[in-house]
Amino acid sequence: MWIRRNFPSATHLMRLKLNPHISVDCVVFGFDRGSLKVLLVERLFSDGHTGEAFSDLKLPGSLVYDNENLDHAACRVLRELTGLDHIYLEQLSVFDSPERTSSATDRNWLQHETGIEIGRIISVAYFALIRFEKMMELLSRMNQKTHWTDARHPGRLPFDHNMIVRKGLEHLQTRMRIEPIAMELLPRKFTLRQLQEVYEVLLGREMDNRNFRKKLHRNGYFVPLNEKEKDVAHKPARLYTFDKTRYERNKKDSVIFSI
Amino acid sequence: MWIRRNFPSATHLMRLKLNPHISVDCVVFGFDRGSLKVLLVERLFSDGHTGEAFSDLKLPGSLVYDNENLDHAACRVLRELTGLDHIYLEQLSVFDSPERTSSATDRNWLQHETGIEIGRIISVAYFALIRFEKMMELLSRMNQKTHWTDARHPGRLPFDHNMIVRKGLEHLQTRMRIEPIAMELLPRKFTLRQLQEVYEVLLGREMDNRNFRKKLHRNGYFVPLNEKEKDVAHKPARLYTFDKTRYERNKKDSVIFSI
DNA sequence: TGACTTAGCGTATTTTTTACGCTAAGTTTG
DNA sequence: CAAACTTAGCGTAAAAAATACGCTAAGTCA
């Protein structure tokens, strides 16, 4: 009845016993052509009567191994899913309503997926940002199982995943005003215009291009490269990188990063 | 061997089954006479051989009931402990290292306290601020079980409670730059000088008194009362309250509350 | 070649931040 | 009771940051 997804090649370092009470779910954001996307994965199952296959979209997530800490579990989920590492990742929030796993469909799917009797599951949500190159890389070797969906209209998701996505969005918006994380959505080398677009889309307001670049130059964390963008239908702009190290050094004073 | 503390009068709304995998711990801050305090509670036990009684300090916390959500559990812990309600409370972070309950002393204490076989326990830390009046109220009917300790030097605490306190401190410092929570540590009616002192102590730097009050007046969330402070050895200052409602209304634009 | 788009630098104005002077209203001390 | 002292509370001037907007250069496209 239920199609069982290949169980992930487990890390050899720990015993394989899953803790049936705790899971992690990842909200992974990406930015493509002016819009914010969230990463969803397919959930496969088939109808009990007809045997017909169905699929669904959900946040990438997993139960946690007994000896595994949560940060590790979140990394693991992303590595197994996307094959990629070294992306911006932080704990978002705990989702713990006792009713979050109460839908019959969800319970059944979980039970068949994990082979474990499911009671209450507390999920720790993780917040991740993925660079444009990696996003594209993922799309190209797309195994039909991952989808980049409009983060603001992800459709109806199972469990409390809609809540988690919404919380992730809010987090992104407040966080990017305080710490320089917006560039984690761009390629490592980006133009100032690209960065401005991210700000405009995520904050939902237009910004003056000339003032925007003035600010960036003043704070001095953006280092100009001797490279220009290519294949654009207009004057190619200079590429920049963000100097994280320099930012961390000067952080003490300001603490709040504003544009 | 182990003194078993009276188990809290449980809420009647839910079955009393404790979930042995998830706990909450609360970092409650208070501000008194120029220094930041954290609330600790006594942990009682006695030596296995001599039967002599010992005590310890730890963060207030509890396992979570099976049908209870975490916010509720955190409120419950504080209500049972302090008898007080309506204090500033928010989720801080999850502490989940598999080794966090590995100390033999801690495991034994837990087992005797709860009567439950203890395995891995994931703890969700909550961050709370308590107003000066309530802090004093608590001190007066102090049942010898609660202590206000210097938040920056709480001594050695069991489990990973030192980590949790440190995280709470960091959270307080970043949070107060972004949202107007510093006044949650003061009486509902406070002088501008008192507020300034909180800022100075928590941020660790002095501020110009004249500029400080200028800012407060400009942002318009501080409403002057027709009352003055009493029993001070100098010119009594006017009392103010913080208008949360007005702040919430105007929040949309600025989002970041700075002094 | 001319129309068009975006990059990229500049200037003037307004707003906010910072530094500091000063008086008034109380308390404490001799 | 007066002089010394402390904090409240208002003000001004200069520096810094934010905002609004003009303009040219460098490229593409038709």
Side-chain angles (χ1 to χ4, degrees):
Chain A
M1 321 206 183
W2 297 80
I3 297 170
R4 188 146 169 190
R5 185 144 54 99
N6 306 345
F7 215 67
S9 68
T11 316
H12 303 299
L13 298 163
M14 54 194 147
R15 1 178 217 131
L16 296 180
K17 197 165 162 291
L18 284 173
N19 183 324
H21 307 99
I22 298 145
S23 69
V24 294
D25 284 305
C26 300
V27 197
V28 188
F29 290 113
F31 190 84
D32 181 19
R33 298 258 138 229
S35 98
L36 187 68
K37 309 286 188 187
V38 65
L39 182 66
L40 299 177
V41 298
E42 269 184 25
R43 178 171 76 157
L44 301 173
F45 47 91
S46 63
D47 186 271
H49 297 291
T50 67
E52 207 183 336
F54 288 102
S55 84
D56 218 359
L57 291 177
K58 65 182 280 287
L59 289 177
S62 160
L63 287 176
V64 175
Y65 287 102
D66 247 353
N67 274 318
E68 185 183 38
N69 68 39
L70 297 177
D71 289 4
H72 185 278
C75 287
R76 174 175 55 80
V77 164
L78 291 179
R79 203 176 330 109
E80 283 166 358
L81 184 80
T82 68
L84 295 170
D85 233 327
H86 300 105
I87 66 175
Y88 182 89
L89 185 69
E90 69 178 311
Q91 208 186 91
L92 177 59
S93 185
V94 183
F95 290 82
D96 66 293
S97 157
E99 292 84 38
R100 63 184 295 280
T101 49
S102 61
S103 138
T105 318
D106 292 344
R107 293 178 69 84
N108 286 339
W109 178 80
L110 268 172
Q111 245 146 54
H112 285 80
E113 177 80 4
T114 63
I116 288 177
E117 188 67 23
I118 298 303
R120 179 182 187 178
I121 301 180
I122 288 197
S123 182
V124 179
Y126 277 78
F127 171 90
L129 300 178
I130 193 168
R131 289 189 186 290
F132 187 71
E133 339 42 316
K134 298 199 171 177
M135 199 175 158
M136 290 300 104
E137 203 181 316
L138 230 164
L139 267 182
S140 67
R141 63 171 152 81
M142 162 110 101
N143 44 7
Q144 296 310 94
K145 284 187 180 161
T146 61
H147 294 260
W148 288 105
T149 313
D150 182 342
R152 283 178 169 117
H153 306 95
R156 183 154 180 186
L157 305 177
F159 305 103
D160 48 5
H161 288 189
N162 283 94
M163 268 177 70
I164 301 183
V165 171
R166 211 171 318 131
K167 182 98 176 190
L169 271 170
E170 287 165 19
H171 184 78
L172 176 53
Q173 286 175 2
T174 50
R175 198 83 180 132
M176 69 184 286
R177 294 172 198 256
I178 293 158
E179 297 228 38
I181 60 169
M183 43 292 262
E184 297 288 337
L185 292 167
L186 291 174
R188 226 167 261 287
K189 302 173 180 181
F190 52 86
T191 69
L192 299 189
R193 168 68 64 178
Q194 286 173 322
L195 184 60
Q196 185 182 337
E197 193 189 19
V198 170
Y199 269 91
E200 289 183 337
V201 170
L202 299 199
L203 299 182
R205 69 183 153 93
E206 304 213 321
M207 303 173 105
D208 185 284
N209 173 263
R210 294 153 294 189
N211 293 334
F212 185 81
R213 41 199 318 136
K214 220 180 298 175
K215 276 196 190 176
L216 296 199
H217 283 128
R218 199 169 24 198
N219 76 26
Y221 304 135
F222 295 88
V223 310
L225 304 174
N226 284 325
E227 281 182 73
K228 303 205 162 191
E229 62 182 336
K230 282 173 184 158
D231 306 321
V232 284
H234 53 80
K235 171 177 173 180
R238 180 182 291 273
L239 294 175
Y240 287 77
T241 51
F242 179 73
D243 187 340
K244 213 167 198 160
T245 324
R246 195 182 305 177
Y247 168 73
E248 295 292 344
R249 264 208 314 276
N250 297 23
K251 196 177 173 177
K252 270 86 191 123
D253 322 325
S254 59
V255 181
I256 286 182
F257 177 88
S258 85
I259 330 185
Chain B
M1 331 208 196
W2 298 82
I3 296 169
R4 186 142 168 193
R5 185 144 54 98
N6 306 343
F7 215 65
S9 67
T11 316
H12 303 300
L13 298 165
M14 53 195 147
R15 0 178 219 131
L16 296 181
K17 197 164 162 292
L18 284 173
N19 182 325
H21 307 99
I22 299 145
S23 69
V24 294
D25 284 304
C26 300
V27 197
V28 188
F29 290 114
F31 190 84
D32 182 19
R33 299 257 138 231
S35 98
L36 187 67
K37 309 285 189 187
V38 66
L39 182 67
L40 300 177
V41 299
E42 269 184 24
R43 179 173 76 156
L44 300 173
F45 48 89
S46 64
D47 186 273
H49 296 290
T50 67
E52 206 183 336
F54 287 102
S55 84
D56 217 0
L57 291 177
K58 65 183 280 288
L59 288 178
S62 159
L63 287 176
V64 174
Y65 286 102
D66 246 354
N67 273 319
E68 186 183 37
N69 67 41
L70 297 177
D71 289 4
H72 185 279
C75 287
R76 173 174 56 78
V77 165
L78 292 179
R79 203 177 328 111
E80 283 165 359
L81 183 81
T82 68
L84 295 170
D85 233 328
H86 300 107
I87 67 175
Y88 182 89
L89 185 70
E90 68 178 312
Q91 207 186 92
L92 175 60
S93 187
V94 182
F95 289 82
D96 67 291
S97 157
E99 293 85 37
R100 61 184 297 280
T101 49
S102 62
S103 140
T105 318
D106 293 344
R107 293 178 68 84
N108 286 337
W109 178 80
L110 269 172
Q111 244 147 53
H112 284 79
E113 176 81 3
T114 63
I116 288 175
E117 189 68 23
I118 297 302
R120 178 182 187 178
I121 301 181
I122 287 196
S123 183
V124 180
Y126 276 78
F127 172 89
L129 300 177
I130 193 167
R131 300 198 116 84
F132 186 72
E133 346 26 327
K134 297 198 172 179
M135 202 176 157
M136 293 299 105
E137 204 181 314
L138 230 163
L139 267 181
S140 69
R141 64 172 153 79
M142 163 111 100
N143 43 8
Q144 297 310 94
K145 285 186 180 161
T146 61
H147 294 260
W148 288 105
T149 312
D150 182 343
R152 282 177 170 117
H153 306 96
R156 184 153 178 186
L157 306 177
F159 304 103
D160 49 4
H161 288 190
N162 283 94
M163 268 177 71
I164 301 183
V165 171
R166 209 169 323 129
K167 182 97 176 192
L169 271 170
E170 286 166 19
H171 184 77
L172 176 53
Q173 286 175 2
T174 50
R175 197 85 180 129
M176 69 183 286
R177 294 172 198 255
I178 294 159
E179 296 228 38
I181 60 169
M183 42 295 263
E184 298 288 335
L185 291 167
L186 291 174
R188 226 166 261 288
K189 301 173 180 182
F190 53 86
T191 70
L192 299 189
R193 169 68 63 178
Q194 287 173 322
L195 184 61
Q196 186 183 335
E197 194 189 15
V198 170
Y199 269 91
E200 289 184 337
V201 170
L202 299 198
L203 298 183
R205 69 182 152 96
E206 304 214 323
M207 303 173 105
D208 184 284
N209 173 263
R210 296 154 291 189
N211 293 335
F212 185 81
R213 40 199 319 135
K214 220 181 298 175
K215 276 197 189 175
L216 296 198
H217 284 128
R218 199 169 22 197
N219 76 26
Y221 304 135
F222 294 87
V223 309
L225 304 174
N226 284 324
E227 281 182 74
K228 303 204 161 192
E229 63 182 336
K230 281 172 185 158
D231 306 321
V232 284
H234 54 79
K235 172 176 172 181
R238 182 182 290 272
L239 295 174
Y240 287 76
T241 50
F242 179 72
D243 188 339
K244 211 167 199 161
T245 325
R246 196 181 305 178
Y247 168 73
E248 295 291 343
R249 263 208 314 276
N250 297 24
K251 196 178 173 177
K252 270 89 192 121
D253 321 327
S254 58
V255 181
I256 287 181
F257 178 88
S258 88
I259 332 182

